[in-house]
Amino acid sequence: MAAETEYLGFGNLPNQVHRKSVKKGFEFTLMVVGESGLGKSTLINCIFKTGLKTGRKIPSVNQQLESTLKIETNTADIEERGVKLKLTVVDTPGFGDSLDSVDNCKPILDYIDDQYEKYLNHESGLNRRQIADSRIHCCFYFISPNNYGLKPLDVMTMKTLHNKVNIVPIIAKSDSLTKEEVQALKKRIVAELKTHGIQIYSIPDCDPDEDEDYKEQVRQLKAAIPFAVSSSLETHEVKGRKVRGRAYGWGIV
C-alpha cells in the first residue's frame, strides 16, 4: 500500500490546489474612493499594517478650483502565515475636491474598464501562465460622517460604479459620532441605497454545515454594513497591552 503522501487519486486534489495556490500567491486590487480628509490612507495602512499609502494634505481653496481627479496605484507584497498576497491599492486623489465634480466618475469608470479589457486581452493570448490580474476586485467608498446621509456626488458615483465593481460603503471617522448617531446614519444610508437602486457588496450566506461561531460572525458582519470605522496608526497602552487607537482627553478609542 502506498503511503498517504504518495496518494495520487482525485481525493488529493484539494491538497494539490492548496499547495499550488500558496506557492503562486494571490493578487488583490482595492480601489479607494472618497473626498480628501476622510482617513482613506490611514485605514488602508491600518488594515494591512503597511506604509503602502502616505497621507496627503487637504487642498487649499485655490487648489480645489484647479483640481482634477487622478488615478494612482501603489503595490506591496504581503505575507501572512506563509500565504503571499500582492496587494495593489488604486487611489483617486482629487475626487470631490473640485467645485464642479460632475465628471469625477468618468476617469474612475474608464480605468476600471481598461483593466477588464487588458485582462481579457491577456486571457485571449497564447501565454496565459503569467497573467497579471489588475482588475478592481473591491471598492471602498468613503462617506463623510458630517452629512446626514449620502450626498448627490455619492449617489451619482455609486450608481455609475455598482455594476462594474464590488462596492463596500464605509462611514469614515465614525468616532466623531455617538453610537445613536452612527446607527441612525447607517439606517439612513441603507434606505437611500435602496431608494436609488444602488447595489453594494453582499456577504455570502453560510453553508448549513458551518459551525455556529462562524455563522454568528458572518451575521454580525452583515448587520454592520455599512461599516463605521475609526482608524489610527498610533499605539497606546491600555490595561497592560498595546493597541492602535486615538487618544482623547476623556480616554482612548
Side-chain angles (χ1 to χ4, degrees):
M1 179 181 293
E4 185 176 352
T5 54
E6 299 174 357
Y7 178 65
L8 298 177
F10 66 83
N12 195 40
L13 181 60
N15 296 328
Q16 294 174 359
V17 173
H18 178 267
R19 286 196 298 269
K20 184 177 180 181
S21 298
V22 170
K23 181 179 179 180
K24 182 180 179 182
F26 300 89
E27 293 176 303
F28 189 77
T29 304
L30 172 66
M31 174 175 276
V32 290
V33 180
E35 300 173 8
S36 299
L38 292 181
K40 301 188 296 296
S41 300
T42 304
L43 178 64
I44 298 303
N45 290 335
C46 190
I47 290 177
F48 297 104
K49 296 182 179 179
T50 178
L52 187 65
K53 295 178 82 274
T54 56
R56 292 186 305 274
K57 295 180 180 179
I58 298 177
S60 64
V61 174
N62 290 333
Q63 289 173 329
Q64 287 181 342
L65 289 171
E66 302 173 358
S67 177
T68 56
L69 187 142
K70 294 179 277 187
I71 303 291
E72 294 180 357
T73 60
N74 296 277
T75 303
D77 294 318
I78 302 174
E79 185 172 344
E80 181 179 316
R81 297 181 182 180
V83 179
K84 297 178 181 178
L85 173 69
K86 181 180 179 182
L87 172 69
T88 301
V89 175
V90 180
D91 198 4
T92 55
F95 178 84
D97 290 345
S98 174
L99 295 180
D100 184 6
S101 303
V102 175
D103 295 330
N104 269 197
C105 302
K106 190 176 186 308
I108 299 174
L109 187 62
D110 289 344
Y111 181 86
I112 294 174
D113 287 339
D114 287 345
Q115 304 317 305
Y116 277 121
E117 184 176 357
K118 185 184 297 184
Y119 186 80
L120 178 61
N121 291 336
H122 286 310
E123 276 276 295
S124 305
L126 296 176
N127 183 14
R128 295 192 293 268
R129 288 182 174 272
Q130 302 296 329
I131 296 178
D133 187 1
S134 59
R135 295 172 298 176
I136 306 298
H137 302 113
C138 180
C139 173
F140 280 2
Y141 190 89
F142 287 73
I143 300 168
S144 173
N146 301 323
N147 301 308
Y148 188 59
L150 301 176
K151 297 170 61 176
L153 178 61
D154 299 329
V155 173
M156 179 179 66
T157 303
M158 285 194 277
K159 287 191 74 171
T160 302
L161 301 180
H162 73 146
N163 288 324
K164 299 285 186 178
V165 65
N166 295 308
I167 295 178
V168 177
I170 291 178
I171 301 172
K173 296 187 174 182
S174 63
D175 54 324
S176 63
L177 305 172
T178 65
K179 289 184 178 181
E180 292 76 14
E181 289 172 336
V182 168
Q183 293 305 317
L185 182 55
K186 283 189 174 189
K187 290 181 180 179
R188 174 80 177 187
I189 291 173
V190 170
E192 290 183 341
L193 290 173
K194 290 182 179 179
T195 299
H196 295 286
I198 298 172
Q199 300 175 2
I200 60 174
Y201 175 72
S202 177
I203 298 175
D205 294 327
C206 297
D207 293 331
D209 57 348
E210 293 285 0
D211 61 77
E212 292 302 319
D213 288 342
Y214 180 73
K215 288 181 179 178
E216 176 61 19
Q217 187 178 32
V218 171
R219 187 195 66 79
Q220 292 179 5
L221 282 173
K222 286 186 174 184
I225 296 175
F227 298 114
V229 304
S230 174
S231 51
S232 173
L233 300 178
E234 299 176 355
T235 303
H236 303 275
E237 187 169 332
V238 179
K239 296 181 180 180
R241 65 188 185 97
K242 290 185 177 181
V243 296
R244 289 189 178 188
R246 292 185 176 275
Y248 295 95
W250 43 265
I252 296 176
V253 176

